[in-house]
Amino acid sequence: MMVMLKKWSDVLTIVSGKNQKLVTDPNGRYPIYGSGGVMGYARSYLCEAGTTIVGRKGTINNPIFVNEPFWNVDTAFGISPGDELHPKYLYYFCCSFNFKELDKSTTIPSLAKRDLLQIQMPVPPLNEQERIVSKIEELFSKLDASVAELQTAKEKLKVYRQAVLKEAFDPVSKESIFLKDIIEKPR
């Protein structure tokens, strides 16, 4: 199988965000996204479902995948896959890409659309992209389960630590492993 490196300009569309003031509506049905997540709701949308958000200013290295149509603010780009890209394959590529390398700002991190369009990425056939996405999600699922197990173990250790401290300093307990040694040993 031959994997081609292709420029973003050939395989996707970048939707520049817009100011949300005129579309903001607390009862709106479309989320308004910035590079940090949902900021409100709108009456209309700019990006289709399956689009990845990449920050234009500020948080530029934290892509977000969105499963529904949404409005993106002017500090965030909507990276929309073309026919050759699986939406989640594009998202996972964005998660692996260091956008800070394209940052030309001196203060607040900032990306330019023209620079993003020059990014090259491997583009295998769609069925291979689907296989890659499935494998990534299977491994992430296992990692998430491991993280949950570690969190449970961490919580149990907190309880055990408190039990040791309670036992150590409980003056009523004749079984206190620490106080018993202190009381019984002559000085």
Side-chain angles (χ1 to χ4, degrees):
M1 171 189 59
M2 181 137 170
V3 176
M4 303 284 296
L5 274 180
K6 295 190 177 184
K7 282 186 180 181
W8 273 18
S9 60
D10 297 328
V11 294
L12 56 76
T13 303
I14 298 178
V15 179
S16 296
K18 295 182 180 176
N19 189 308
Q20 73 276 20
K21 286 181 186 171
L22 296 178
V23 297
T24 298
D25 180 348
N27 299 316
R29 80 179 256 223
Y30 305 106
I32 298 172
Y33 273 90
S35 59
V38 176
M39 303 170 56
Y41 289 88
R43 295 181 300 270
S44 60
Y45 64 92
L46 295 173
C47 295
E48 298 290 336
T51 297
T52 296
I53 295 170
V54 173
R56 184 180 71 79
K57 285 204 176 290
T59 308
I60 63 173
N61 233 12
N62 188 29
I64 301 169
F65 185 78
V66 184
N67 274 321
E68 60 188 323
F70 66 93
W71 184 278
N72 53 312
V73 298
D74 53 6
T75 59
F77 290 120
I79 312 295
S80 181
D83 294 339
E84 293 183 63
L85 291 177
H86 185 287
K88 281 283 188 102
Y89 179 81
L90 174 59
Y91 167 69
Y92 289 129
F93 174 81
C94 289
C95 288
S96 73
F97 189 82
N98 184 5
F99 290 98
K100 290 180 181 176
E101 291 176 354
L102 301 177
D103 178 16
K104 293 188 174 87
S105 68
T106 54
T107 53
I108 297 173
S110 182
L111 296 175
K113 187 175 183 176
R114 69 181 171 280
D115 294 332
L116 292 176
L117 289 169
Q118 297 305 308
I119 293 173
Q120 291 194 12
M121 70 181 288
V123 181
L126 275 171
N127 63 339
E128 181 65 12
Q129 291 177 43
E130 288 172 12
R131 189 191 68 74
I132 291 167
V133 167
S134 285
K135 187 64 176 177
I136 289 170
E137 290 182 344
E138 173 190 332
L139 293 171
F140 280 177
S141 179
K142 289 178 181 178
L143 285 171
D144 290 344
S146 295
V147 167
E149 288 173 16
L150 286 172
Q151 188 61 38
T152 299
K154 187 177 175 182
E155 292 302 318
K156 285 181 181 178
L157 287 172
K158 280 183 187 177
V159 171
Y160 296 151
R161 179 181 294 263
Q162 282 305 117
V164 166
L165 291 171
K166 184 178 184 320
E167 177 66 23
F169 296 101
D170 184 356
V172 180
S173 173
K174 300 244 188 244
E175 301 300 317
S176 174
I177 53 176
F178 299 105
L179 295 178
K180 187 175 178 186
D181 288 343
I182 293 170
I183 294 169
E184 292 180 357
K185 286 186 181 176
R187 290 191 175 221

